[in-house]
């Protein structure tokens, strides 16, 4: 049957509202700040076939990857699913993206048949591995990165398997937080399933099903209209990760984009081989990153579902950085390598769609600190502040301190006050970094400068994970690159540059973590910048010819 456009629009909005309500339940019930403050999780509604219909505005890199999770569950269990079941996985080689992201999938039944899946992918604070926090720069195989979970049935008709939860918590350095976060995931799915039950009860399964098809068709149609407006041709772009070790060469992703009518082929087979490092990108993550790039290039909201991926053909080479062979480690792929893939596609499209492409964003630089709090209890803190500047485009300056290209604004910075109240830290300063945005007709967004002092009574462990220290965010059309990340640990008054991939080190009382975040790349000739914009930048201290420091 067909459904009128108004009903389709209403149901589409309701599906988005369901996904957003799952977010709110999760954020209000999760234990760890990683989830209840920084909201490092994504929720979505998929149809009975596992096609993504609606995703909450959280972490874009999850959007193209979640269907792989439901596909893995359906492949393993077939039709063996019942109301109240919840399936769980995290294996990057069997439906997941990287091990810290636990994906919970709940089927929703109505009128005797499977109608929807509601999914929550949530980043766990610690799941074991050789480094606290799950990011292990020294990992050479996936077993170094933590607990590996294939698709399994976690809840059977509403009854949770306690032994599985015990197993998960036993493999975490923060078992209480992990237990609370997993239970929050289950609670959020129940809320989403109840809302979907109500939706089908109101409109009927036939209308709901036909509306889902219409939503996907609209996504495909919107993306094809965008693609058809670009000139046919073969375009090339590449982007690189910082060298993995001193003296090494950068690790490069190469994209060949072929536009033909309303179809696109993205060929990544020329990318470097996989590496003995956590930088490899699992196939679901690679596919998602390409999808995110084309979401940026699209100007319509209708494309925000899996229908928009139908015009895309993505080619990879098994054994490469973007399609590794198990047991290659992959934990950094959702942040570092995903950004590189997006950039490679974006740079390839700079000639075909100059009015849509974005300049380089700041690369992610995070640390995890494991130690004892003021009360003697263990803590694990993830640095989610100071996100860096966004790249400019052909019409606007880049956003300031927004975050990385794979998740712009989707992960809010945690509260400074709560950080100081709950952890043995003092945030000494948190300022904008003057001159960090690349100059151009449109300036790159500014990064920030963040100084954190460790006040713990005993030594802690700090594990850095990042990129963009050696390679700055790129500019386009004559715009200049932004400043790269600059990171150091200051001990006894002496600042030592922090190698983003050097592995875990000791943090002593009084040590200071100093992070100057990268600024976004600039677009266009700086000489063409509007004088009023340039004057405003100088007035606000964004561009200070006399210094390269920080400004409030």
């Amino acid at each position: 049957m067909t459904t009128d456009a108004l009903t389709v629009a209403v149901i589409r909005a309701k599906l988005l509202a369901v996904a957003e309500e799952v977010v709110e339940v999760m954020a209000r019930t999760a234990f760890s700040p990683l989830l209840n403050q920084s909201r490092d999780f994504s929720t979505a509604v998929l149809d009975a076939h596992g096609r993504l219909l609606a995703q909450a505005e959280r972490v874009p890199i999850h959007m193209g990857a979640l269907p792989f999770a439901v596909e893995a569950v359906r492949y393993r269990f077939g039709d063996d699913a019942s109301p109240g079941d919840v399936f769980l996985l995290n294996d990057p080689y069997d439906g997941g993206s990287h091990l810290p992201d636990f994906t919970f999938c709940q089927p929703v039944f109505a009128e005797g048949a499977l109608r929807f899946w509601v999914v929550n992918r949530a980043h766990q604070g610690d799941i074991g591995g050789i480094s606290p926090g799950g990011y292990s720069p020294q990992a050479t195989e996936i077993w170094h990165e933590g607990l590996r979970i294939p698709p399994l049935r976690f809840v059977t008709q509403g009854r949770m398997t306690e032994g599985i939860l015990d197993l998960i918590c036993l493999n975490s350095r923060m078992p209480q937080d992990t237990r609370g976060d997993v239970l929050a995931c289950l609670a959020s799915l129940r809320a989403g399933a109840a809302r979907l039950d109500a939706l089908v009860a109101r409109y009927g399964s036939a209308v709901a099903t036909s509306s889902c098809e219409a939503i996907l068709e609209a996504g495909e149609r919107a993306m094809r209209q965008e693609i058809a407006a670009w000139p046919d041709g073969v375009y090339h772009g590449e982007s690189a990760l910082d060298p993995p070790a001193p003296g090494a060469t950068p690790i490069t992703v190469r994209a060949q984009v072929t536009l033909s009518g309303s179809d696109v082929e993205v060929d990544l087979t020329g990318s470097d081989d996989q590496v003995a490092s956590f930088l490899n990108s699992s196939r679901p993550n690679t596919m998602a990153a390409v999808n995110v790039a084309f979401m940026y290039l699209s100007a319509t909201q209708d494309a925000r579902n899996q229908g928009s991926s139908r015009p895309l053909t993505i080619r990879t080479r098994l054994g490469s950085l973007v399609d590794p062979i198990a047991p290659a480690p992959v934990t950094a792929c959702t942040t570092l390598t995903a950004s590189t893939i997006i950039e490679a596609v974006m740079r390839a499209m700079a000639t075909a769609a100059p009015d849509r492409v974005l300049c380089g964003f700041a690369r992610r630089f995070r640390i995890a600190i494991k130690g004892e709090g003021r009360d003697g209890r263990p803590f694990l803190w993830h640095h989610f502040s100071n996100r860096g500047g966004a790249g400019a485009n052909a019409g606007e300056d880049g956003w300031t301190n927004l975050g990385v290209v794979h998740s712009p604004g989707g992960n809010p910075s945690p509260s400074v006050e709560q950080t100081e109240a709950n952890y043995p830290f003092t945030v000494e300063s948190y300022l904008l970094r003057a001159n960090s945005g690349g100059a151009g007709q449109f300036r790159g967004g500014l990064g920030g400068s963040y100084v954190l002092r460790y006040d713990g009574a005993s030594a802690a462990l700090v594990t850095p994970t990042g990129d963009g220290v050696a390679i700055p965010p790129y500019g386009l059309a004559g715009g200049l690159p932004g400043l790269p990340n600059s990171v150091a640990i200051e001990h006894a008054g002496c600042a030592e540059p922090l190698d983003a991939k050097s592995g875990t080190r000791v943090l002593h009382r009084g040590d200071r973590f100093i992070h100057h975040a990268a600024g976004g790349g600039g677009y266009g000739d700086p000489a063409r910048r509007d004088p009023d914009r340039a004057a405003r930048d100088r007035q606000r201290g964004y561009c200070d010819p006399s210094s390269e420091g920080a400004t409030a």
Side-chain angles (χ1 to χ4, degrees):
M1 65 173 294
T2 58
T3 304
D4 64 274
L6 180 59
T7 300
V8 172
V10 170
I11 288 179
R12 177 177 178 271
K14 286 183 177 291
L15 293 175
L16 287 168
V18 170
E20 291 291 352
E21 183 168 345
V22 176
V23 166
E24 291 307 314
V25 173
M26 179 70 179
R28 294 170 187 270
T29 55
F31 275 40
S32 66
L34 190 65
L35 300 177
N36 62 33
Q37 290 189 54
S38 297
R39 299 194 173 198
D40 191 2
F41 62 93
S42 288
T43 64
V45 177
L46 295 83
D47 72 359
H49 304 289
R51 298 175 298 182
L52 193 143
L53 301 168
Q55 178 176 325
E57 294 185 355
R58 292 299 110 207
V59 185
I61 195 61
H62 291 162
M63 180 173 178
L66 290 178
F68 286 89
V70 175
E71 180 184 0
V73 169
R74 296 177 69 226
Y75 179 81
R76 170 125 348 164
F77 291 93
D79 296 330
D80 184 15
S82 302
D85 286 357
V86 178
F87 300 89
L88 167 64
L89 62 88
N90 78 337
D91 187 357
Y93 295 99
D94 201 356
S97 287
H98 71 166
L99 292 182
D101 283 345
F102 280 18
T103 306
F104 299 82
C105 309
Q106 180 167 343
V108 179
F109 292 80
E111 300 177 9
L114 175 63
R115 303 296 178 185
F116 295 102
W117 291 86
V118 57
V119 179
N120 185 339
R121 172 166 286 181
H123 190 117
Q124 305 302 304
D126 188 90
I127 55 162
I130 59 176
S131 298
Y135 286 82
S136 306
Q138 295 171 312
T140 58
E141 56 185 14
I142 195 169
W143 294 290
H144 291 157
E145 299 187 303
L147 181 65
R148 190 176 178 187
I149 305 172
L152 53 81
R153 197 190 314 266
F154 184 30
V155 179
T156 304
Q157 298 182 26
R159 186 177 183 85
M160 183 180 68
T161 305
E162 293 282 352
I164 294 177
L165 181 57
D166 291 343
L167 175 66
I168 291 169
C169 294
L170 188 64
N171 282 274
S172 172
R173 294 175 176 86
M174 300 296 294
Q176 290 183 320
D177 281 1
T178 300
R179 179 176 292 272
D181 291 342
V182 168
L183 295 177
C185 288
L186 298 182
S188 71
L189 293 183
R190 287 195 297 271
R195 291 292 182 260
L196 292 171
D197 287 341
L199 185 149
V200 177
R202 177 172 180 178
Y203 292 96
S205 59
V207 171
T209 299
S210 65
S211 295
C212 291
E213 293 295 337
I215 289 167
L216 294 168
E217 289 170 3
E220 178 181 6
R221 186 166 54 251
M223 183 58 74
R224 288 194 181 279
Q225 288 174 349
E226 300 276 3
I227 295 167
W230 301 325
D232 288 356
V234 180
Y235 304 92
H236 296 86
E238 64 179 51
S239 186
L241 293 154
D242 285 350
T249 58
I251 302 170
T252 304
V253 173
R254 300 175 181 87
Q256 175 181 287
V257 178
T258 302
L259 302 179
S260 178
S262 64
D263 291 301
V264 178
E265 179 185 273
V266 179
D267 189 333
L268 302 174
T269 58
S271 300
D272 285 356
D273 292 341
Q274 69 183 63
V275 294
S277 164
F278 67 164
L279 296 169
N280 301 292
S281 176
S282 60
R283 183 169 174 79
N285 184 74
T286 295
M287 306 295 273
V290 173
N291 189 65
V292 168
F294 280 90
M295 288 295 99
Y296 274 117
L297 295 167
S298 172
T300 173
Q301 295 292 311
D302 286 339
R304 291 170 50 204
N305 60 65
Q306 196 172 345
S308 64
S309 67
R310 291 173 177 172
L312 307 181
T313 299
I314 303 170
R315 302 193 185 282
T316 60
R317 174 173 54 86
L318 192 63
S320 69
L321 181 75
V322 297
D323 192 1
I325 300 170
V330 300
T331 298
C333 73
T334 58
T335 53
L336 308 186
T337 318
S339 294
T340 310
I341 296 168
I342 294 168
E343 289 179 359
V345 174
M346 199 70 68
R347 299 183 82 165
M349 291 295 293
T351 302
D355 59 329
R356 296 288 180 83
V357 294
L358 301 174
C359 297
F361 280 50
R363 292 282 177 85
R364 185 80 170 91
F365 200 106
R366 63 184 293 163
I367 59 170
I369 299 177
K370 176 72 170 67
E372 290 186 359
R374 299 182 182 93
D375 57 2
R377 298 175 61 184
F379 76 86
L380 179 60
W381 181 79
H382 290 264
H383 171 54
F384 259 70
S385 299
N386 202 20
R387 308 288 288 179
N393 58 51
E396 295 291 340
D397 292 344
W399 291 302
T400 286
N401 211 228
L402 174 80
V404 285
V405 71
H406 73 274
S407 182
N411 303 124
S413 295
S415 161
V416 170
E417 291 77 15
Q418 290 193 41
T419 296
E420 293 182 331
N422 297 327
Y423 299 95
F425 301 134
T426 299
V427 179
E428 293 189 345
S429 63
Y430 192 4
L431 312 168
L432 294 182
R433 185 186 184 191
N435 302 327
S436 57
Q441 181 180 2
F442 297 99
R443 170 185 49 75
L446 272 64
S449 290
Y450 185 90
V451 180
L452 180 83
R453 188 181 71 239
Y454 175 58
D455 298 326
S458 58
L461 298 176
V462 56
T463 304
T465 301
D467 202 68
V469 175
I471 300 176
Y474 61 88
L476 290 172
L480 301 182
L483 292 180
N485 282 314
S486 174
V487 190
I489 295 289
E490 183 183 275
H491 176 70
C494 180
E496 177 186 350
L498 190 60
D499 183 347
K501 303 175 182 70
S502 60
T504 303
R505 57 176 292 169
V506 176
L507 193 67
H508 300 279
R509 179 179 177 86
D511 286 357
R512 301 162 77 229
F513 168 66
I514 303 170
H515 178 204
H516 301 302
Y523 190 98
D525 184 352
R528 298 183 61 189
R529 183 158 180 79
D530 180 86
D532 290 339
R533 286 178 180 257
R536 183 187 64 189
D537 287 347
R538 291 191 296 271
Q539 180 183 26
R540 295 179 176 178
Y542 294 170
C543 300
D544 182 359
S546 65
S547 69
E548 193 285 288
T551 181

